[in-house]
Amino acid sequence: KSTLLCEEPYLSILATGNFLVRISSTGGSSDTRAKIERGIPSWEKRLWAAEKLASRNIPVSMRLQPILLGEESYVCAMICSANSAGVRHVSAEYLKLPIEKASQQSILLSDILPNITKMYQSQNARQVGRELVLPASVKAPGLFQLRYEATRRGMIFGFADNEFLHLNPFRSCCNA
């Protein structure tokens, strides 16, 4: 989550090697992203970085994780913007909600999304390790819509949620 790689000497090194750059972002509205992703370059600055890299023929992938349930329409717009910036690949994974109330991540999410735990419980999320995970049936419509948005623009889409990995045509993680 940095744009430093668009500065010299990093840019020249990336342009002469066999590299793929993966840029990550929270998948959701700009307001939600700004609250969750404090202290890092904005989505617009990361798009600028993607465009600069792509203009030097450096392949760029976008990892949209975590995707926030109910904010998928914003994620579709993010895919469109990423495509316009030259991103060739996008992977997507829904939020796995940490259940440890004392963790910094849990405290931040509770402050930003005060009803997130209740929403997950209402969607029959199950505990997997130390996280609440949405059922595949809840995630599938959003993920299939995101795949459609990416592939109709000529991008490669990768499912990153474990229960959807088998739908990727490539054997690598997230279909990269």
Side-chain angles (χ1 to χ4, degrees), residues 82-127:
N83 179 251
S84 295
V87 172
R88 299 178 186 178
H89 171 268
V90 62
S91 61
E93 182 175 4
Y94 274 89
L95 172 67
K96 294 175 181 166
L97 187 64
I99 59 171
E100 295 175 350
K101 302 295 181 210
S103 77
Q104 289 296 93
Q105 188 179 23
S106 289
I107 293 167
L108 175 67
L109 287 170
S110 293
D111 288 346
I112 295 167
L113 307 165
N115 297 317
I116 189 77
T117 302
K118 287 180 184 176
M119 182 195 335
Y120 268 55
Q121 291 168 339
S122 74
Q123 296 295 323
N124 297 315
R126 68 187 191 292
Q127 184 175 339

Side-chain angles (χ1 to χ4, degrees), residues 37-66:
E37 299 183 326
R38 295 185 219 166
I40 61 170
S42 68
W43 169 248
E44 292 73 21
K45 287 182 182 174
R46 284 178 269 172
L47 283 177
W48 167 84
E51 189 169 17
K52 190 165 184 176
L53 293 165
S55 73
R56 299 278 300 262
N57 294 318
I58 300 165
V60 180
S61 171
M62 188 65 67
R63 177 154 178 104
L64 300 172
Q65 182 212 13

Side-chain angles (χ1 to χ4, degrees), residues 63 91-93 143 158-175:
R63 177 154 178 104
S91 61
E93 182 175 4
L143 289 172
F159 293 99
D161 282 282
N162 289 333
E163 61 270 44
F164 294 94
L165 291 175
H166 69 282
L167 298 175
N168 293 330
F170 304 112
R171 292 183 169 203
S172 60
C173 176
C174 308
N175 211 33

